[in-house]
Amino acid sequence: MILDGKCPTGPIEKTWDKHRFDLKLVNPANKRKYKVIVVGTGLAGGAAAASLGELGYNVEAFCYQDSPRRAHSIAAQGGINAAKAYPNDGDSIYRLFYDTVKGGDFRAREADVWRLAQVSNNIIDQCVAQGVPFARDYAGYLDNRSFGGAQVSRTFYARGQTGQQLLLGAYSALSRQIKEKTVKMFPRTEMLDLVVIDGVAKGITVRDLITGEIRVHMADAVCLATGGYVNVFYLSTNAMGCSVTAIWKAYKKGAFLANPCYTQIHPTCIPQVGDHQSKLTLMSESLRNDGRCWAPKKKEDSQKYPGDIPEEDRDYYLERKYPSFGNLAPRDIASRAAKEQCDDGRGVGPGGRGVYLDFQTAINRVGEHTIKERYGNLFEMYEKITAEDAYKRPMRIYPAPHYSMGGLWVDYNLMSNIPGLFVLGEANFSVHGANRLGASALMQGLADGYFVIPYTISGYLASIKAGDYSADHPECKKSIDDVKANINKMFSIEGKKTVSEIYRALGRVMWENVGMARSKESLEEALKEIPKFREEFWNDVNVTGEGGDFNQQLENAGRVADFLEFAELMTRDALIREESCGGHFRIEHQMPDGEAKRDDENFCHVTAWEYKGVGNAPEQHREPLKFENVHLAVRSYK
């Protein structure tokens, strides 16, 4: 099937404005007749629930945390992009659009990316009005800093706590709507199935994580804003509760899953120090504004104290390889470059899996006080974890799984191929292509929640009858029965393996074979191993406790069971994409200098997968990508 993204035509500068005008509207008096479910309360979900509630819709919002304030968006550090051009350094909406398309290695839709760039300025105005404490310069104006993949300063920030501050802004707006009773909040509740009636999304089946109750919630439309899936690697920078479950359940009910092989490895994370770790810690990309990445030139120097290695024996590899962008090269490029140094035997720290991020030059230039003002909390966090003072000794960093560019397929209206199912933020595939530029995740989440879904969902709701659903429908009972049967099946196994043992083993295979560098051989090896873990899980896992109660063992088991299925689809997608692009790096497809080698003739498209049932291979669909405003070119940051 050739998929239609329903992108508007005409001059790209006018597409979003014209599309908004052409959308059908729901008048204010009728909005209160419609109910909308929002799953996930991070930046995308929280902003969407607050905005839809403010418009007058009845909203039910769900999160598995004890409060929307604990959504993983709170962990974002470095900033949020917008094309306001305050530094007067040549930025514009078009340049943000261009950098994002190029940064994604020409694997995203132009129309979606243009809209993202266009509404970016509105996001900053909205957040300032909410009281978000963005950094300001000496004169009191909003300050900006640079991020990877751009040669302008367009990133607004609140030290290293930008995600936290933005989430608190969205949470304040959400709290207002909860008080106004336009939004009903369901914390500690996990979505375990999508209810589809006659091909239309009409509700979700959830488990109350405190009482264990399984129940259905019905609505006129469902919005999934449940984040990404990089915890398939076990170790990642994501919160441990982040999972693929919500979008995977939607996939198994017919929603297409697009580009699952596109995952991002972040270049600046604290290296793993042992097998006891359950997650990795991100160090913001903003640190590369003042920090310089280097590794020893000589292998024998790799275990020396960094201060004992003279300047002439240090390889500032990003500055050497990419002089135009230097330490602010995009994440996929910077990650592979760090891996190259370590693979060459010049890595530092335990196991030789690390490179240095050195601030001495910046401290000498602007003083330690200024560096503390910019990044103080990040330095404090690094010292708490490593017991090292990064003002005196360079940070040790290494790449780690961080973000998902792939996700459920959506059209220009953010609606999946299932009518009534909308997907927002990291859970959809739409704007980042094969690589996300730094500070663009927060931009997409808030753009989708505040400025896209409030318009596009009205076009759908205006075409249907309000309240045309019933919790007594046979599909609701079937969904509840299926969820209960799956839970009972896990309890009945009573094997010898813990969920964590199997999960850790899956993550190791995924990281080694489907991680930063992939090959035909490594992907085929993963496809041999993954079914073994799945078989081991369903025959020998031990899930303790009971279903009708608070049971985190059960929660983890359900999420791992979904990862065991999703991992195979992700690997299959990586195997059939015979090219290198962005974060998807196939060893067989690289330039003579080691850069990614795209194949635009055969792979300039979105790959969307359709579930065809247990034991059957998924069906592949494609959406061709057209580039009329940013012409296809070899991506270069040199």
Side-chain angles (χ1 to χ4, degrees):
M1 181 192 298
I2 302 299
L3 296 171
D4 179 12
K6 299 178 182 175
C7 296
T9 57
I12 198 164
E13 298 86 355
K14 299 179 180 179
T15 48
W16 175 231
D17 294 334
K18 182 179 183 299
H19 187 74
R20 280 188 300 171
F21 180 78
D22 291 340
L23 285 167
K24 293 180 180 179
L25 299 176
V26 179
N27 81 51
N30 287 339
K31 284 189 173 77
R32 65 180 68 97
K33 299 176 183 178
Y34 291 93
K35 188 203 288 188
V36 179
I37 283 172
V38 178
V39 186
T41 55
L43 287 182
S51 300
L52 294 173
E54 182 77 39
L55 286 170
Y57 295 107
N58 291 303
V59 180
E60 291 187 353
F62 298 81
C63 68
Y64 67 78
Q65 299 92 345
D66 58 354
S67 166
R69 290 176 299 172
R70 294 177 65 84
H72 183 60
S73 299
I74 205 166
Q77 296 172 350
I80 176 171
N81 289 329
K84 281 188 171 292
Y86 285 165
N88 198 28
D89 56 0
D91 201 9
S92 64
I93 290 173
Y94 182 85
R95 188 173 293 279
L96 175 53
F97 160 69
Y98 173 85
D99 287 345
T100 306
V101 171
K102 177 185 174 184
D105 217 351
F106 300 89
R107 290 295 178 261
R109 285 196 200 117
E110 278 195 336
D112 294 57
V113 178
W114 175 268
R115 177 174 62 190
L116 177 68
Q118 181 179 335
V119 305
S120 66
N121 294 337
N122 299 340
I123 297 170
I124 303 304
D125 295 340
Q126 167 99 349
C127 294
V128 169
Q130 290 174 336
V132 172
F134 286 122
R136 294 180 180 266
D137 62 19
Y138 182 76
Y141 294 106
L142 292 174
D143 204 0
N144 292 105
R145 59 187 176 198
S146 299
F147 252 66
Q151 292 181 306
V152 296
S153 294
R154 64 163 66 103
T155 304
F156 295 78
Y157 64 98
R159 296 182 77 193
Q161 306 167 348
T162 314
Q164 178 181 5
Q165 300 304 328
L166 292 173
L167 184 63
L168 290 175
Y171 176 68
S172 66
L174 178 61
S175 296
R176 178 176 182 274
Q177 296 310 311
I178 293 172
K179 183 180 180 183
E180 294 293 327
K181 294 184 170 53
T182 62
V183 176
K184 187 174 182 181
M185 188 69 225
F186 293 88
R188 301 311 303 266
T189 308
E190 185 169 26
M191 171 184 162
L192 294 181
D193 198 17
L194 178 72
V195 178
V196 179
I197 298 174
D198 297 328
V200 179
K202 287 295 183 182
I204 60 173
T205 300
V206 301
R207 180 175 182 269
D208 185 310
L209 298 182
I210 302 298
T211 66
E213 179 191 6
I214 309 295
R215 62 178 185 268
V216 162
H217 290 257
M218 304 295 284
D220 295 290
V222 176
C223 297
L224 298 187
T226 52
Y229 49 76
V230 292
N231 273 353
V232 70
F233 293 106
Y234 183 70
L235 287 177
S236 83
T237 66
N238 282 199
M240 291 173 64
C242 294
S243 73
V244 75
T245 291
I247 66 170
W248 189 249
K249 301 305 187 186
Y251 165 73
K252 295 181 80 170
K253 282 298 181 73
F256 295 168
L257 219 166
N259 300 334
C261 76
Y262 288 165
T263 55
Q264 181 172 78
I265 311 300
H266 198 293
T268 52
C269 301
I270 299 177
Q272 181 184 359
V273 295
D275 289 338
H276 63 281
Q277 282 183 249
S278 54
K279 77 177 300 293
L280 298 172
T281 303
L282 170 71
M283 299 305 294
S284 170
E285 181 175 304
S286 63
L287 292 166
R288 289 195 280 141
N289 273 285
D290 289 302
R292 302 175 70 194
C293 298
W294 65 274
K297 289 181 179 179
K298 304 173 185 176
K299 296 180 181 179
E300 56 267 27
D301 288 347
S302 61
Q303 297 306 314
K304 283 185 178 179
Y305 183 79
D308 294 337
I309 302 174
E311 193 73 16
E312 60 270 18
D313 290 336
R314 301 179 180 188
D315 179 13
Y316 294 92
Y317 56 90
L318 288 177
E319 298 171 32
R320 168 174 57 82
K321 295 185 68 174
Y322 309 102
S324 293
F325 284 75
N327 293 292
L328 288 175
R331 291 175 175 179
D332 57 324
I333 288 174
S335 293
R336 286 197 295 274
K339 183 176 184 292
E340 285 174 10
Q341 315 312 307
C342 297
D343 290 348
D344 191 39
R346 295 182 291 113
V348 301
R353 288 291 162 186
V355 294
Y356 288 124
L357 185 62
D358 196 333
F359 291 86
Q360 194 57 54
T361 301
I363 290 172
N364 293 341
R365 185 179 69 251
V366 300
E368 186 174 313
H369 175 72
T370 301
I371 298 301
K372 281 184 178 178
E373 283 185 341
R374 294 172 180 171
Y375 318 106
N377 63 301
L378 297 173
F379 278 67
E380 292 168 10
M381 182 172 68
Y382 181 83
E383 186 170 9
K384 285 181 180 178
I385 293 172
T386 66
E388 295 176 6
D389 183 352
Y391 295 109
K392 310 298 182 189
R393 173 178 181 154
M395 289 182 179
R396 288 176 294 106
I397 57 169
Y398 192 70
H402 178 61
Y403 191 84
S404 311
M405 285 77 69
L408 290 183
W409 183 88
V410 292
D411 63 17
Y412 188 72
N413 292 319
L414 300 186
M415 188 161 73
S416 72
N417 58 294
I418 299 178
L421 177 65
F422 294 82
V423 192
L424 286 63
E426 190 179 357
N428 76 38
F429 86 101
S430 63
V431 293
H432 302 302
N435 174 61
R436 177 176 68 81
L437 291 184
S440 287
L442 306 186
M443 179 173 60
Q444 184 204 1
L446 292 180
D448 286 357
Y450 284 140
F451 298 107
V452 179
I453 197 64
Y455 290 100
T456 61
I457 201 170
S458 72
Y460 170 74
L461 294 176
S463 68
I464 67 170
K465 179 183 176 183
D468 189 19
Y469 52 81
S470 169
D472 295 328
H473 195 281
E475 282 297 328
C476 297
K477 183 179 185 305
K478 181 179 183 303
S479 179
I480 290 176
D481 290 344
D482 288 346
V483 168
K484 288 181 176 179
N486 193 58
I487 290 173
N488 291 335
K489 183 178 179 182
M490 285 190 284
F491 279 126
S492 69
I493 298 168
E494 298 181 346
K496 298 178 180 178
K497 292 278 187 176
T498 66
V499 173
S500 294
E501 280 181 273
I502 298 171
Y503 186 16
R504 193 185 295 270
L506 170 70
R508 188 176 297 113
V509 165
M510 293 300 290
W511 176 244
E512 291 174 357
N513 295 285
V514 201
M516 260 191 290
R518 304 157 176 182
S519 67
K520 183 175 184 291
E521 291 74 20
S522 74
L523 294 168
E524 288 177 343
E525 175 66 21
L527 287 173
K528 289 179 184 175
E529 293 298 318
I530 294 166
K532 296 178 184 176
F533 296 133
R534 200 160 55 240
E535 184 177 352
E536 185 176 37
F537 181 93
W538 289 111
N539 287 283
D540 199 25
V541 78
N542 184 11
V543 181
T544 58
E546 298 178 355
D549 202 352
F550 176 74
N551 188 340
Q552 290 186 309
Q553 274 284 308
L554 176 60
E555 294 172 37
N556 293 334
R559 294 164 190 166
V560 172
D562 293 328
F563 275 133
L564 288 165
E565 294 181 357
F566 168 75
E568 189 166 329
L569 181 68
M570 176 181 166
T571 307
R572 185 189 294 267
D573 188 50
L575 183 61
I576 63 121
R577 187 167 281 275
E578 290 274 3
E579 66 165 351
S580 290
C581 57
H584 170 65
F585 190 76
R586 287 286 296 268
I587 291 172
E588 307 96 324
H589 304 289
Q590 53 184 303
M591 300 290 195
D593 61 356
E595 299 299 329
K597 185 178 181 181
R598 292 198 323 263
D599 181 353
D600 294 331
E601 183 178 349
N602 296 303
F603 293 99
C604 192
H605 61 254
V606 175
T607 304
W609 297 92
E610 179 184 3
Y611 181 67
K612 302 302 286 187
V614 177
N616 298 318
E619 184 176 351
Q620 179 189 156
H621 304 290
R622 293 183 177 183
E623 179 192 345
L625 293 171
K626 300 176 182 178
F627 294 92
E628 299 169 347
N629 299 275
V630 181
H631 296 295
L632 282 166
V634 175
R635 190 176 66 144
S636 175
Y637 290 92
K638 295 185 176 181

